[in-house]
Amino acid sequence: MNLIVDGIVFRHHPIGGVARYFNEILPRICNLDDEFKLTFLSPWEYRETIGLYSKGSVLKVPPFSRLTYRIPFLRGVGGRVETLLARSLSGLGNNSIWHSTYNTVPEFWPGMKVVTIYDLIYEIFPHLYQGPLGDKVRFDQKRAVESADAVICISETTRKDALNFYDINEQSTFVTYLGVTDSFKDDHKYESSLSIENPFILFVGERKGYKNFNCLLEAFSDWKMRDEVKLIAIGKPWDYEEKEFIVNKGIDDRVEVISSISDDELANLYSESEAVIHTSLYEGFGFPIVEALAKGSKLVASDIPTTREIAGDIPMYFDPHDSMSLIDALTIAIETQLSEKEIYDIKKHTFQYNWDNTAMETIKVYKSL
């Protein structure tokens, strides 16, 4: 059977969580099952390899969407031309599966279509994603999901949300959990040029909007232990509002942002931190959650359905709408000392989240069609 993977996400988000998902599962699918002949439709300018080796082929697709993006009346045309070209490169489509990395729908496709839903932030937080771009993402995802023969969801919470927002049959939906990258699975301390003042608490990832990082800044600024414990954030540099808040609260020497870091260095920080803080109002899965647990870190997390599903009772939960609740959880985390058995049990919980399982479950979805 032919498996066609449209690599559009590697054009717009080549190093994000979705790119990691496909980078991890595609080589495994090739290696685990010889029944599938995989063709990866790569963006023209994408120079990285996804490790298909001799068991898959790569076809380059010219960047029409990027060429027309800055021309308002052609903005939608480029993406459509790109999808049509990708469709034409894919052959007739008979006895084939089209698995888009980000909501493309091939025209006149006689084969099966699979789509993966990573989250529903555009539907759940429409006020954060207004205007033509937000409307387009919502339209594209709805069209891709409702026209798919199989819908893969990365958590049970995501599946429930999808059934709520889209007109789809529950029997066509499948949950395949994501995995933990190898760097976070072992106890090895990697070489690093980073020099971090101990002790510190750690925040990883995007901070704006539903990520709710402001709750952590507010809590940290009022926390009685802020002069003893630093806050390290991994992500983009502070924006103007964050800088202003940090300076006004007098915590500019107690918080630090690191914008360039390898997985190996991040693994070190997870292990060395006093606690990892996860403040989101919503998640489809949550890589920082499973990465922190895989390293045996104490986790302070917002009490939301996805985290309960993925992490169970392990985290110290707080109300994400109440900074005082977070302060209490931070204090408990700092004062709690984990035994070796407790650390092992935390790590053991993440054994179920591995990329081999994700690939095998994805193959089962393909074969169900």
Side-chain angles (χ1 to χ4, degrees), residues 4-55:
I4 313 298
V5 177
D6 175 14
I8 188 66
V9 77
F10 290 87
R11 170 158 295 142
H12 305 295
H13 305 286
I15 58 173
V18 179
R20 175 182 292 187
Y21 165 67
F22 282 99
N23 269 320
E24 294 284 358
I25 69 168
L26 292 183
R28 286 175 168 85
I29 289 171
C30 288
N31 291 327
L32 288 169
D33 199 313
D34 292 332
E35 180 181 338
F36 294 100
K37 178 185 177 183
L38 191 150
T39 300
F40 177 67
L41 302 175
S42 172
W44 190 270
E45 71 280 13
Y46 186 61
R47 304 299 181 189
E48 301 297 324
T49 174
I50 57 172
L52 298 181
Y53 308 110
S54 61
K55 296 188 177 181

Side-chain angles (χ1 to χ4, degrees), residues 2 4 87 90-98 108-112:
N2 296 315
I4 313 298
R87 163 68 184 88
S90 305
L92 296 177
N94 296 316
N95 194 34
S96 297
I97 295 173
W98 175 284
F108 313 112
W109 184 256
M112 297 294 185

Side-chain angles (χ1 to χ4, degrees), residues 239-269:
D239 64 22
Y240 176 80
E241 292 180 354
E242 289 172 330
K243 283 183 180 178
E244 186 177 42
F245 182 91
I246 288 167
V247 171
N248 289 342
K249 289 292 186 177
I251 56 174
D252 45 310
D253 63 336
R254 305 306 304 155
V255 298
E256 180 181 349
V257 64
I258 299 174
S259 299
S260 179
I261 190 171
S262 68
D263 278 354
D264 291 349
E265 291 172 322
L266 180 56
N268 288 346
L269 294 186

Side-chain angles (χ1 to χ4, degrees), residues 197-200 220 223-230 254 274 334:
E197 175 188 330
N198 287 314
F200 65 89
F220 186 81
W223 190 29
K224 65 182 180 181
M225 300 186 71
R226 75 179 203 184
D227 293 329
E228 304 169 42
V229 181
K230 285 195 72 171
R254 305 306 304 155
E274 292 297 316
I334 293 297

Side-chain angles (χ1 to χ4, degrees), residues 12-130:
H12 305 295
H13 305 286
I15 58 173
V18 179
R20 175 182 292 187
Y21 165 67
F22 282 99
N23 269 320
E24 294 284 358
I25 69 168
L26 292 183
R28 286 175 168 85
I29 289 171
C30 288
N31 291 327
L32 288 169
D33 199 313
D34 292 332
E35 180 181 338
F36 294 100
K37 178 185 177 183
L38 191 150
T39 300
F40 177 67
L41 302 175
S42 172
W44 190 270
E45 71 280 13
Y46 186 61
R47 304 299 181 189
E48 301 297 324
T49 174
I50 57 172
L52 298 181
Y53 308 110
S54 61
K55 296 188 177 181
S57 59
V58 177
L59 297 177
K60 292 285 189 177
V61 180
F64 290 106
S65 60
R66 179 164 291 183
L67 294 173
T68 61
Y69 179 76
R70 296 187 181 279
I71 307 173
F73 67 92
L74 290 178
R75 187 168 295 168
V77 175
R80 190 170 180 82
V81 170
E82 206 169 291
T83 301
L84 285 170
L85 179 58
R87 163 68 184 88
S88 66
L89 290 172
S90 305
L92 296 177
N94 296 316
N95 194 34
S96 297
I97 295 173
W98 175 284
H99 192 166
S100 175
T101 57
Y102 202 72
N103 299 330
T104 55
V105 178
E107 302 290 345
F108 313 112
W109 184 256
M112 297 294 185
K113 298 188 292 292
V114 175
V115 64
T116 300
I117 300 180
Y118 315 104
D119 57 51
L120 286 96
I121 56 173
Y122 281 81
E123 289 76 13
I124 293 173
F125 303 100
H127 60 287
L128 297 178
Y129 305 97
Q130 299 179 359

Side-chain angles (χ1 to χ4, degrees), residues 4 68 117 145 191 215 232 297 316:
I4 313 298
T68 61
I117 300 180
V145 170
E191 291 187 9
C215 180
I232 305 297
S297 306
M316 298 161 206

